[in-house]
Amino acid sequence: MKRTEYHCQSCGRAIYFDGLCYNCRQRQSRERAQAWSDVEVARKMRAIIAALDDKFYKKEENREFFELLAYKDISTEKIAEAATRVGVYYPSELYRDAPPKAREKLLALLETPECKEASHILLCLALAGGEDVLATFARLERNPLPWVKKLHVPLSVYAQAGGWTFDKAGNHIQLNFDKCYPVFSASPDNSDAAVSVAVPREETCPHCGTRLVDILMLDGKDRRLAFLNLPGTVRVPCCPQCSCEGFIVRYQLDGDSAMELVNPFGDGEKMRDNVYAEMVTKKFALSTRPESLFFARGNDEDVITVGGFANWIQDFQYEPCPDCGKTMRYFASVPWAALMDSAEGALYLEICPDCQIIGAFHQQT
Ligand SMILES: [Zn+2]
Ligand SMILES: [Zn+2]
Ligand SMILES: [Zn+2]
């Protein structure tokens, strides 16, 4: 049976029901949240505090919490205090702005030989950050208590959940950037040159023959992108067909870049022409203003972001630089559905500025 085809009333993409496509509904829910007044925000925060218990993550208030974090950049200080009082340690983002007293309480729990809920508490502290957290994590990694030995990954990996880690000497290493700019779809008239997305290149993929694209091209001289500390043009060449297993880019700040596939995905079949054409005709514009570092976590809207925290589809993933071995710094993600209606998953980009290397990998459900 052939299903009736409709077009989304907002963006025009083909869908199989009358109304708005999923992504446009997510965009509308974001715009609704962005328009919440201070009074509404305060009321929702009280509702979140009242709803804190071990089932919180399944509740409507949990969804609203992420919208407040992503679109209103709320301080979670009061929420973290309340969560500490009732012993709720999930989701860890509740503790993003945990005040020193709340952190102390959580840190004290780690000092027991058999810390219950250690994993959740560590993630909460990773999100909270702070010198006290760093010092405790580094000490417990050097001199582990019995519960530490049962963890599947070291404490320096738990810290990554908060966008940081530490070296053997206990020195803090930042793993993400302290600004975030979304890249919204735009009409050809108001697209902008600070970030270009999926721009066709001359060369073709050695594995499948698809013409490569610069999946991102960043103008690091644009004042909005100054936080990346890349004073030049950085291109990220990519085969849109076989990048699933990840790839490496060696870049120069003059826009010269070379791509190496780590482990080409698929059977070497070229991307279909109509899909390729759809991908390279979309236009985008970098947001005029920075947004919350958690912008990508607000809902499942397919928005490209530069900086901030990734919306990981699987677990958070910070890869070592293939040259120097240091953990790379996360700087952008591209949900494929922002480029191709039927695509799934997202591409995550991390950088080692010392080696001028970008590592890219894909996650999907
Ligand atoms: Zn739509
Ligand atoms: Zn390819
Ligand atoms: Zn490196």
Side-chain angles (χ1 to χ4, degrees):
M1 195 181 78
K2 193 171 176 349
R3 291 183 294 173
T4 314
E5 193 173 286
Y6 294 89
H7 290 276
C8 168
Q9 289 167 3
S10 177
C11 72
R13 78 169 71 175
I15 50 176
Y16 294 97
F17 48 88
D18 200 10
L20 293 178
C21 73
Y22 178 75
N23 203 48
C24 287
R25 274 183 283 141
Q26 297 304 97
R27 190 192 67 236
Q28 282 193 345
S29 91
R30 162 173 56 86
E31 287 167 352
R32 247 193 324 271
Q34 286 173 317
W36 286 335
S37 68
D38 291 350
V39 174
E40 277 173 294
V41 169
R43 186 173 55 74
K44 285 176 192 297
M45 285 178 61
R46 285 194 300 275
I48 286 164
I49 288 171
L52 287 170
D53 62 18
D54 55 0
K55 298 279 185 308
F56 176 78
Y57 68 98
K58 293 182 180 168
K59 296 180 181 176
E60 172 67 11
E61 285 84 357
N62 179 63
R63 200 181 56 73
E64 290 201 331
F65 168 73
F66 278 95
E67 289 186 319
L68 288 168
L69 195 61
Y71 307 137
K72 302 304 270 184
D73 206 12
I74 53 161
S75 163
T76 74
E77 185 177 342
K78 293 270 177 314
I79 294 173
E81 277 171 359
T84 317
R85 274 199 302 277
V86 291
V88 172
Y89 308 119
Y90 188 83
S92 49
E93 286 80 0
L94 297 170
Y95 287 83
R96 194 256 306 236
D97 303 301
K101 275 224 155 56
R103 295 203 303 262
E104 269 168 37
K105 228 168 145 177
L106 265 55
L107 287 167
L109 294 173
L110 298 185
E111 303 296 347
T112 52
E114 295 301 330
C115 175
K116 289 200 183 67
E117 297 190 77
S119 273
H120 284 154
I121 293 170
L122 289 170
L123 293 173
C124 293
L125 286 165
L127 263 291
E131 284 180 17
D132 45 354
V133 175
L134 169 65
T136 303
F137 276 34
R139 173 171 50 79
L140 287 171
E141 189 154 297
R142 275 195 311 271
N143 305 307
L145 287 163
W147 62 264
V148 178
K149 294 178 188 155
K150 292 185 198 153
L151 299 173
H152 296 296
V153 294
L155 297 179
S156 48
V157 173
Y158 273 93
Q160 294 177 357
W164 58 281
T165 189
F166 52 92
D167 62 16
K168 293 247 178 310
N171 296 307
H172 178 271
I173 300 165
Q174 194 61 36
L175 293 182
N176 66 354
F177 287 93
D178 63 354
K179 283 216 167 53
C180 178
Y181 279 85
V183 181
F184 295 113
S185 52
S187 65
D189 299 342
N190 46 29
S191 67
D192 99 65
V195 175
S196 306
V197 184
V199 182
R201 288 174 67 92
E202 289 301 320
E203 66 268 46
T204 54
C205 171
H207 182 63
C208 72
T210 302
R211 197 170 159 196
L212 300 186
V213 293
D214 284 323
I215 194 67
L216 276 189
M217 186 173 84
L218 301 169
D219 176 4
K221 292 192 294 304
D222 187 287
R223 64 173 173 78
R224 289 166 292 177
L225 296 179
F227 70 93
L228 293 173
N229 199 19
L230 296 168
T233 300
V234 174
R235 292 176 208 263
V236 186
C238 158
C239 173
Q241 179 78 339
C242 41
S243 62
C244 282
E245 303 291 324
F247 59 94
I248 294 164
V249 169
R250 291 176 194 279
Y251 69 88
Q252 307 284 333
L253 290 171
D254 62 2
D256 203 15
S257 284
M259 185 268 293
E260 295 163 26
L261 286 168
V262 175
N263 191 1
F265 174 80
D267 50 11
E269 198 182 321
K270 196 173 156 222
M271 183 176 242
R272 292 208 312 276
D273 288 345
N274 60 329
V275 177
Y276 189 91
E278 179 197 351
M279 176 183 65
V280 299
T281 45
K282 297 240 163 96
K283 294 282 176 264
F284 295 89
L286 187 68
S287 170
T288 51
R289 53 158 210 247
E291 294 285 352
S292 159
L293 299 185
F294 290 85
F295 187 88
R297 302 252 181 105
N299 63 30
D300 290 327
E301 186 184 2
D302 296 310
V303 180
I304 298 164
T305 46
V306 180
F309 285 88
N311 184 26
W312 303 109
I313 296 171
Q314 303 288 338
D315 282 344
F316 60 86
Q317 186 176 350
Y318 291 90
E319 292 288 329
C321 168
D323 275 16
C324 71
K326 281 188 288 197
T327 309
M328 291 190 285
R329 198 166 178 186
Y330 163 80
F331 76 97
S333 53
V334 180
W336 289 109
L339 302 172
M340 296 170 278
D341 289 353
S342 55
E344 286 175 21
L347 186 72
Y348 300 89
L349 301 175
E350 293 175 355
I351 190 165
C352 177
D354 295 345
C355 305
Q356 295 197 291
I357 281 183
I358 290 167
F361 53 88
H362 171 95
Q363 288 187 351
Q364 73 179 69
T365 46

